[in-house]
Amino acid sequence: MQTSIPKTKLLITLRTITTSATVSCYQRAASERGFLNLLQSCNTFSNLLQIQAQILKLGFQNNPLILTKFVSKASDLNSIEYAHCFLFSPHSNTHFYDAFLFNTIIKAYAQTANLKPKALWVFNFMLECRVLPNDFTYPVILKACAGIGDLNLGMSVHGSLLKFGLHRNDPVLNTLVHMYCSCKGGILFGRKVFDEMTKNDSVPWSAMIGGYVRLGRSNDAVDLFRQMQIQGVCPDEITMVAVLCACTDLGTLELGKWIESLIERGKVNKSLELNNALIDMFAKCGDVDKALKLFRTMNERSIVSWTSVIVGLAMHGRGLQAVSLFQEMIRDGVAPDGVVFIGLLSACSHSGLVEKGKEYFDLMRKEFGLLPKIEHYGCMVDMLCRAGLVREAVEFVQKMPIEPNSIIWRTLINACRTHGELKLGESLAKQLIRNEPMLEANYVLLSNIYAKMSHWEKKTKTREVMDTKGMKKIPGSTTIELNNKIYKFVAGDMYHNQYKEIFEMVDEMGREMKRAGYVPSTSEVMLDIDEEDKADNLNRHSEKLAIAFALMNTPPGTPIRIVKNLRVCSDCHSATKFISKIYNREIIARDRSRFHHFKDGLCSCNDFW
């Protein structure tokens, strides 16, 4: 860490500058150079204050070059607001300020976490002072707009750059795409700018692909990346990070492997961020061993590297390995943060390590001085609920020092339904609806509780309330990657061009499972119909359709990988165990919260799911 300039040395330098400044124009120029050198070596706020005093004493307050350097240094020292007060005080003569100085102030504000709106104030003041913006002004002001996320604000800045004729500049257009993609409702405007501009390098492609990824439109991101390949534009590490994030979201392992091969063949710089993205992709696409192998080969690791592997192991139910890696991290002198503990507690939750989880929850505060946040309390409730300790989970929530959020209440309600605490679940669901009357998930929870209780009239009434309020249940869907394509299935899907063959395969699977001893878990069907109809309804769940499609279209014995958008139901979980044994297939299923590795009639989750 840099030390401050010794006070004596600073005073001698300042006196030298002061003396030379009074002699001649030539010496004044030398004085200016000396002052710029002094600003370059300034590394504390107290030094900055002393230099500011000399700026006033020597009459440099009208020197835009020195003021620009002063602002830049203030920004480095997180003191941009102090510099702002100095530059825009009532006594300041802003007639001498130029575009370079204004751009530096705008950039300083654009880089802050919470002061981005002030960048817009400076920009407007710049225009009031009749200082014309240039090619360097708009990239920084558009970045500020992107950080604020206000579409109307961004559009007004877009109008301004059109007025000044700066809309043909590539860096401006690249940032314009990024700005629109960062604002709610702006993605179509971003795509329009992207489609109309020249795209000779990776920058605009990265901006547009990254925009799709942030909005959860990962399929669009992948499609655009394929277009980029067709047009022969070489991707850089930023592009690859964005595409890997899309793969992670979609759960497409084969696509992720292809991206890794492109990185190797194209000799793309494997930065720390890119390595972390690769690790995260492999872990969340089902190959946690490859993620761990990559982690072991990294020369440089960050807290994100450790967290990605710990979270990956947690998702795969390998809690003991996650705990072991956490202990290794501590031995290596890496200080854990709150995110690492979320991964660690999740690992304990998914592996039934209740006592370990309690131990690490206490350790957060006692040994590492980290105050648990709502996410950590949520992990603890989830852990107790998965282990069937519903009453203990309720007591834990009642003793929480912070108000539990709706996620915690929904976790408790689901656990009540799973473990037979139906009256308690009904009571909690009703309270949740009173707190959040417009959230459809709360009504679905209550409806499911009533179905489990066989209170069909109450269940129907709850669904009618949903219809009256215009609410729709999020449909379950399952995706599968096959031959470089992603196929999506919903329950009873009849839109696939092989749907007749798929349904025939599902019926065959049902007959084979029945012979092997499978009994459908008909309590999962939330309808007042007979048991045979319920079994038929279960056979049309999206997971079974995707698995049937895979059995038809992949060689015998090869693994099957599917991704479910919701938590897998207990019947599909039980059925997939049977299918894995009957058809001799390893089936790797990723649901909303974890991975299930089905093999030889068993699942890796050991029913902690």
Side-chain angles (χ1 to χ4, degrees), residues 323-335:
V323 167
S324 175
L325 191 65
F326 174 79
Q327 291 168 344
E328 181 186 336
M329 184 183 87
I330 300 303
R331 287 194 300 272
D332 279 10
V334 180

Side-chain angles (χ1 to χ4, degrees), residues 46 83 85 87 109 153 259 318 325 415 440 457 489 528 555 593:
S46 60
C85 293
L87 265 70
Y109 275 128
L153 186 64
I259 299 298
R318 289 158 68 165
L325 191 65
E440 77 283 347
E457 188 177 332
F489 295 89
D528 187 13
S593 61

Side-chain angles (χ1 to χ4, degrees), residues 29-74:
S31 162
E32 186 180 277
R33 286 197 300 273
F35 215 93
L36 290 170
N37 290 335
L38 188 64
L39 273 164
Q40 183 67 36
S41 58
C42 173
N43 49 26
T44 68
F45 182 65
S46 60
N47 288 166
L48 195 72
L49 291 178
Q50 291 173 304
I51 290 170
Q52 179 201 350
Q54 291 301 312
I55 287 174
L56 293 169
K57 184 175 180 180
L58 299 172
F60 282 144
Q61 66 269 31
N62 296 328
N63 184 315
L65 181 60
I66 284 179
L67 291 179
T68 299
K69 190 64 183 176
F70 180 82
V71 169
S72 179
K73 188 54 65 175

